[in-house]
């Protein structure tokens, strides 16, 4: 809307935005808020600048980055696909927002950004600060999540600071991120749309708009095939240092007790839905005579978005909490954001336990 454009224009006069844009133009990296998670941004067209992103994060070289743009007209320079009416309509509906699309890349996009692929991932974020920095710098910005590779993604400026201070020159603090989970990565180039990474935009919304089925390449659990389609799926992701265990929806006291190794563990954190009445079960009471349980009832089952918003922050806090040795979390059921949430939770649990569901090394 006009208001949004005016806000973005005004923001370009802010000293912090001016500073960020200057650093970008000098080939530096800066951390910026988006509506999903914080991103670590650099000029997507400058290989040396993009290389600094990989260095600061400790990111494997073969994991490509998403390019962020502020207006649709920026697409033509970057991609060789025919931009037909169907695509235009889709972009009008979902951009700016948490939808990342795969395109065939033009030469201008360096291999460093696309990790040597012939394709490139692009999205238009909705956070006004991020958009203002793109506009002020005049460059499309490559940006992965601004965390140390493998660790939970940053949803607050302080998370970025904890991971990257001393390694990057600037973090813009935009408060906590609206969604708390990354964008949905979608490949529309084939007959059927395929979600390569479930995310903040639900598959149902996309399917409803397209009027057809949208497949998913990365469901809750990791795929069995060795060559994961989204390269990011191969690596350790989203994981705290401490062990993380996933419990079924509305798990019983028996189910909880059976997963805890009482010989080794004295203190756990338990993340559940507010509806969960686990503390009333006799098994739970018995358990609390043997170990300390920090019970965190932090979301309603009908509102998994609330857990999505908090998840990475919670995992980071519990990782720092000396009163907690292991983390247990209740699953969320259903489609929509729940699908993306379970994807992150399973991956974090798999990585934290050195467990490889389906044999994939995440
Ligand atoms: O919400 C988000 O998407 C955040 C914010 C900062 O925009 N960014 C983000 O970036 O999550 P990153 O690098 O953490 O994840 C990018 C994902 C990875 O799974 C990567 O493999 C996939 O997008 N990807 C990037 N380029 C691709 C390509 N050409 N083909 C397939 N997957 C690609
Ligand atoms: Mg990431």
């Amino acid at each position: 809307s006009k208001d949004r454009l005016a806000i973005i224009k005004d923001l370009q006069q802010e000293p912090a935005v001016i500073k960020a844009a200057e650093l970008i133009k000098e080939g530096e990296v800066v951390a910026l808020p988006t509506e999903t998670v914080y991103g670590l941004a650099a000029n997507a067209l400058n290989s040396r600048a993009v290389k600094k992103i990989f260095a600061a994060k400790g990111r494997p070289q073969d994991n490509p980055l998403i390019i962020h743009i502020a207006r649709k007209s920026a697409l033509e320079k970057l991609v060789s696909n025919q931009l037909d009416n169907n695509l235009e309509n889709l972009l009008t509906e979902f951009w700016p927002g948490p939808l990342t699309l795969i395109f065939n890349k033009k030469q201008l996009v360096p291999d460093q950004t696309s990790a040597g692929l012939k394709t490139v991932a692009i999205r238009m974020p909705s956070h006004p600060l991020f958009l203002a920095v793109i506009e002020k710098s005049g460059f499309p910005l490559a940006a992965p999540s601004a965390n140390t590779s493998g660790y939970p993604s940053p949803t607050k400026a302080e998370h970025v600071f904890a991971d990257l201070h001393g390694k990057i020159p600037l973090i813009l603090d935009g408060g906590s991120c609206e969604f708390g989970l990354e964008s949905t990565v979608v490949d529309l180039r084939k007959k059927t749309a395929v979600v390569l990474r479930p995310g903040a935009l639900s598959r149902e919304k996309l399917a409803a708009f397209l009027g057809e089925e949208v497949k998913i390449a990365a469901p809750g659990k990791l795929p069995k095939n060795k060559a994961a389609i989204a390269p990011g799926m191969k690596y350790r992701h989203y994981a705290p240092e401490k062990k993380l265990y996933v419990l079924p929806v509305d798990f019983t006291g028996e189910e909880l007790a059976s997963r805890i190794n009482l010989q080794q563990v004295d203190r756990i954190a338990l993340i559940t839905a507010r509806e969960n009445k686990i503390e009333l079960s006799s098994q739970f009471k018995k358990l609390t005579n043997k170990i300390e349980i920090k019970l965190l009832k932090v979301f309603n089952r009908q509102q998994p978005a609330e857990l999505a918003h908090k998840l990475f922050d919670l995992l980071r806090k519990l990782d720092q909490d000396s009163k907690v040795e292991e983390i247990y979390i209740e699953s969320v059921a259903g489609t929509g954001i729940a699908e993306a949430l379970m994807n992150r939770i399973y991956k974090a649990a798999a990585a934290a336990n050195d467990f490889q569901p389906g044999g994939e090394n995440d």
Side-chain angles (χ1 to χ4, degrees):
S1 75
K2 264 230 164 81
D3 282 358
R4 280 183 56 82
L5 292 178
I7 289 169
I8 293 158
K9 206 166 174 211
D10 284 351
L11 278 173
Q12 288 178 61
Q13 309 308 317
E14 287 293 325
V17 170
I18 292 170
K19 180 74 195 165
E22 272 172 10
L23 286 164
I24 297 282
K25 283 195 262 188
E26 287 164 12
E28 275 305 323
V29 298
V30 296
L32 304 172
T34 84
E35 75 281 25
T36 57
V37 300
Y38 275 75
L40 185 58
N43 176 356
L45 307 181
N46 177 341
S47 304
R48 278 204 288 171
V50 172
K51 215 172 185 154
K52 290 181 187 171
I53 296 177
F54 283 82
K57 278 181 63 83
R59 183 182 178 98
Q61 289 291 335
D62 62 346
N63 197 0
L65 305 181
I66 295 170
I67 296 183
H68 299 68
I69 58 176
R71 39 180 93 199
K72 274 194 267 174
S73 58
L75 262 185
E76 288 160 47
K77 273 191 175 176
L78 306 171
V79 312
S80 62
N81 306 68
Q82 189 68 34
L83 305 178
D84 60 17
N85 277 340
N86 288 340
L87 185 68
E88 282 285 341
N89 293 339
L90 183 89
L91 299 185
T92 303
E93 176 75 11
F94 295 111
W95 279 6
L99 171 67
T100 296
L101 294 174
I102 306 298
F103 296 95
N104 298 321
K105 85 171 187 72
K106 278 191 176 163
Q107 281 270 315
L108 185 68
V109 178
D111 281 344
Q112 182 69 47
T113 300
S114 66
L117 297 178
K118 291 195 166 68
T119 54
V120 61
I122 302 187
R123 86 176 188 99
M124 188 188 293
S126 67
H127 201 296
L129 268 176
F130 202 115
L131 293 170
V133 175
I134 297 175
E135 292 286 50
K136 188 79 185 173
S137 71
F139 292 112
L141 299 181
S145 48
N147 52 311
T148 296
S149 204
Y151 209 57
S153 300
T155 56
K156 295 178 175 178
E158 67 202 62
H159 299 158
V160 182
F161 184 82
D163 283 16
L164 301 180
H165 78 267
K167 295 183 174 172
I168 61 174
L170 185 70
I171 301 168
L172 288 202
D173 189 343
S176 75
C177 299
E178 180 188 345
F179 292 106
L181 287 186
E182 296 85 348
S183 64
T184 304
V185 180
V186 181
D187 191 347
L188 289 173
R189 295 171 308 144
K190 301 267 160 58
K191 236 183 171 175
T192 315
V194 183
V195 168
L196 303 182
R197 177 181 69 179
L201 174 67
S202 79
R203 199 149 60 99
E204 293 70 33
K205 271 196 191 158
L206 198 58
F209 182 82
L210 293 172
E212 57 187 40
E213 180 202 13
V214 175
K215 285 192 193 156
I216 185 160
K221 288 181 185 174
L222 292 174
K224 286 207 166 66
N225 60 318
K226 271 262 182 284
I229 301 176
M233 284 159 39
K234 282 192 301 180
Y235 300 103
R236 177 191 169 90
H237 256 136
Y238 316 115
E241 302 289 340
K242 288 173 187 168
K243 291 207 158 150
L244 175 69
Y245 294 94
V246 188
L247 297 160
V249 176
D250 213 15
F251 58 89
T252 64
E254 281 77 15
E255 281 169 313
L256 175 63
S258 73
R259 303 211 184 186
I260 303 174
N261 184 344
L262 295 172
Q263 263 77 57
Q264 284 181 15
V265 181
D266 295 317
R267 302 179 299 270
I268 68 160
L270 180 57
I271 303 168
T272 73
R274 294 196 186 89
E275 296 93 331
N276 194 315
K277 296 282 184 297
I278 188 72
E279 68 275 20
L280 304 178
S281 90
S282 58
Q283 273 280 358
F284 185 88
K285 286 175 189 159
K286 262 195 241 162
L287 263 179
T288 56
N289 292 329
K290 297 179 196 151
I291 61 170
E292 244 176 77
I293 303 181
K294 183 180 186 128
L295 183 56
L296 300 161
K297 297 182 142 190
V298 294
F299 66 98
N300 293 343
R301 291 206 175 110
Q302 294 313 309
Q303 276 130 30
E306 195 181 351
L307 181 59
H309 179 74
K310 292 175 181 171
L311 178 71
F312 290 141
D313 183 52
L314 264 175
L315 293 181
R316 281 173 175 268
K317 283 209 177 101
L318 293 172
D319 234 9
Q320 299 301 316
D321 188 338
S322 60
K323 294 206 181 80
V324 172
E325 293 169 305
E326 292 182 342
I327 308 164
Y328 292 73
I329 186 166
E330 181 175 343
S331 296
V332 290
T335 54
I337 193 90
E339 188 169 78
L341 197 44
M342 287 316 296
N343 168 277
R344 303 303 189 274
I345 289 172
Y346 277 127
K347 284 191 181 194
N353 292 299
D354 287 326
F355 170 63
Q356 297 172 14
E360 185 58 62
N361 181 17
D362 192 352

